[in-house]
Amino acid sequence: MQKNLIENLSKIIAKLPGMGPRIAKRIILHLANNKQKTLGPLIEALENLRDKIEHCQICGNLDEGKVCQICLSNSRDVSLICVVEEVADLWAIERAQNYRGKYHILGGNLSAVSGKSIEDLNIESLNNRLKSGEVKEVIIATSATIDGQTTANFLLENLKEFNVKVTRLA
């Protein structure tokens, strides 16, 4: 029975990005040997993630409310939007601490291989944000992959109908 619990947990952890079966088992061993220090806080943090974290209704970021702290911030430049593929891309840009605009997360990129199409991306809400007229510049910061470039090219065409400056990061 114990082996089944460990194996089941190991399979779940191994499915996480960057994890494999060996790392998963090492994590389980550490948690089991340090229950008092690490297991309780981890469980509480995971429950908070499940119960309190959601996607921002405006940009798609993850935060503790319906609107993220970046979208709520009055110190951010509302006339500038950086379009990224995933939340992790936003986090990477934020680590640099030199961008002061807002964001828009697409939720992936156009990909024939994975079957992601225009309808699967958060493009309609981007268009709605641009219709307000507040946005003057859009920075497209998609990945340098073929799918990222395809997505950027689509966005470049899509944004022509709006009166905004478009910058493409390579």
Side-chain angles (χ1 to χ4, degrees), residues 37-88:
K37 286 184 188 174
T38 58
L39 200 51
L42 177 62
I43 290 169
E44 183 179 345
L46 289 171
E47 287 173 344
N48 284 332
L49 175 67
R50 179 193 64 207
D51 298 338
K52 297 179 182 175
I53 302 297
E54 51 189 298
H55 286 277
C56 175
Q57 293 176 341
I58 297 171
C59 73
N61 189 13
L62 289 172
D63 210 327
E64 291 183 40
K66 296 195 182 300
V67 179
C68 74
Q69 294 302 307
I70 293 173
C71 286
L72 289 173
S73 175
N74 291 326
S75 66
R76 295 284 182 150
D77 184 352
V78 296
S79 70
L80 182 61
I81 291 181
C82 181
V83 178
V84 296
E85 292 174 9
E86 301 288 349
V87 174

Side-chain angles (χ1 to χ4, degrees), residues 11-143:
K11 287 177 184 175
I12 292 169
I13 293 173
K15 289 180 184 177
L16 297 172
M19 300 290 176
R22 289 180 61 199
I23 292 173
K25 293 238 169 97
R26 289 181 64 200
I27 290 170
I28 293 166
L29 183 60
H30 176 78
L31 292 172
N33 287 334
N34 299 284
K35 289 179 188 178
Q36 298 301 323
K37 286 184 188 174
T38 58
L39 200 51
L42 177 62
I43 290 169
E44 183 179 345
L46 289 171
E47 287 173 344
N48 284 332
L49 175 67
R50 179 193 64 207
D51 298 338
K52 297 179 182 175
I53 302 297
E54 51 189 298
H55 286 277
C56 175
Q57 293 176 341
I58 297 171
C59 73
N61 189 13
L62 289 172
D63 210 327
E64 291 183 40
K66 296 195 182 300
V67 179
C68 74
Q69 294 302 307
I70 293 173
C71 286
L72 289 173
S73 175
N74 291 326
S75 66
R76 295 284 182 150
D77 184 352
V78 296
S79 70
L80 182 61
I81 291 181
C82 181
V83 178
V84 296
E85 292 174 9
E86 301 288 349
V87 174
D89 302 319
L90 178 153
W91 292 347
I93 294 169
E94 283 296 292
R95 275 194 305 276
Q97 298 181 341
N98 59 2
Y99 175 72
R100 299 306 307 156
K102 306 265 181 156
Y103 292 93
H104 192 83
I105 293 131
L106 294 173
N109 55 36
L110 296 174
S111 173
V113 174
S114 66
K116 280 230 177 182
S117 67
I118 295 164
E119 292 79 27
D120 298 319
L121 301 182
N122 194 15
I123 293 173
E124 186 176 334
S125 65
L126 174 62
N127 291 344
N128 290 335
R129 291 176 77 183
L130 297 175
K131 286 176 188 172
S132 74
E134 273 189 322
V135 179
K136 304 297 178 213
E137 182 176 358
V138 175
I139 299 168
I140 300 173
T142 55
S143 64

